[in-house]
Amino acid sequence: MNTHIENAVAENLEEGRLSLKESILVLAVISIVSLVSNWAGTGISPIQAFPAMLIIYAMVIVGLLLSKFIPIGFPAVAWVSLVSVLISIPISPLSAPVLAELKNLGFLAIVTPVLAYAAMAIAKAEVDLFKKSGLKIAAISILVFTGTYVGSVFVADALL
């Protein structure tokens, strides 16, 4: 029986998709790491920031459940975004208490470990694709990053 489960997990990982149960577990671990990172980055204790992290965790789980049970081809990240926006828009009765709690989380502090993991999780296929593309993709990437940065500077300078 364990071999069957291990094979199913291996197949899901090869496809790049986790089961709902695996996603819930991984999100719990990410939430704990994010709480510690938030503590290091903002000085807000994990106990004080826990309700905010629980809110984010719940929004992500609801988005994942919607993507699983409403199969219309809408990606999970879009469902999570939709749930988050609907909860936090000013006309929502949940907006004020949710936003008050979320002030205990620093965006940069909780995103840094996620981005670090994403950088390390590059698959072999992506590295092979990069090798095939060579200097062309590197040059385009540099131009896109530079253009995005310069554009952001202009917008920030004009509006701030």
Side-chain angles (χ1 to χ4, degrees):
M1 179 102 180
N2 286 340
T3 307
H4 177 68
I5 293 171
E6 290 171 0
N7 289 340
V9 170
E11 287 174 17
N12 283 340
L13 290 175
E14 285 177 14
E15 291 176 10
R17 293 194 176 117
L18 298 175
S19 70
L20 185 60
K21 184 178 178 181
E22 292 167 334
S23 295
I24 289 170
L25 180 62
V26 168
L27 286 168
V29 171
I30 290 170
S31 296
I32 292 167
V33 171
S34 294
L35 280 172
V36 173
S37 177
N38 187 64
W39 183 24
T42 65
I44 297 172
S45 76
I47 294 169
Q48 185 180 356
F50 183 74
M53 188 58 66
L54 196 58
I55 290 169
I56 290 176
Y57 183 81
M59 289 189 291
V60 172
I61 295 300
V62 169
L64 288 175
L65 289 171
L66 287 172
S67 72
K68 181 173 177 68
F69 294 114
I70 303 176
I72 59 172
F74 209 48
V77 69
W79 281 113
V80 171
S81 298
L82 181 64
V83 167
S84 302
V85 167
L86 291 176
I87 287 174
S88 62
I89 58 175
I91 62 171
S92 169
L94 299 174
S95 176
V98 165
L99 293 178
E101 283 298 330
L102 291 179
K103 288 182 182 178
N104 288 324
L105 294 176
F107 178 74
L108 189 58
I110 64 173
V111 168
T112 301
V114 175
L115 292 176
Y117 175 74
M120 292 186 301
I122 295 175
K124 184 181 180 316
E126 292 159 335
V127 172
D128 291 340
L129 179 64
F130 182 75
K131 286 179 183 176
K132 288 179 188 174
S133 300
L135 289 176
K136 293 182 273 186
I137 194 76
I140 291 171
S141 297
I142 290 170
L143 290 173
V144 168
F145 294 149
T146 303
T148 302
Y149 176 77
V150 171
S152 298
V153 167
F154 283 135
V155 170
D157 190 46
L159 299 177
L160 301 175

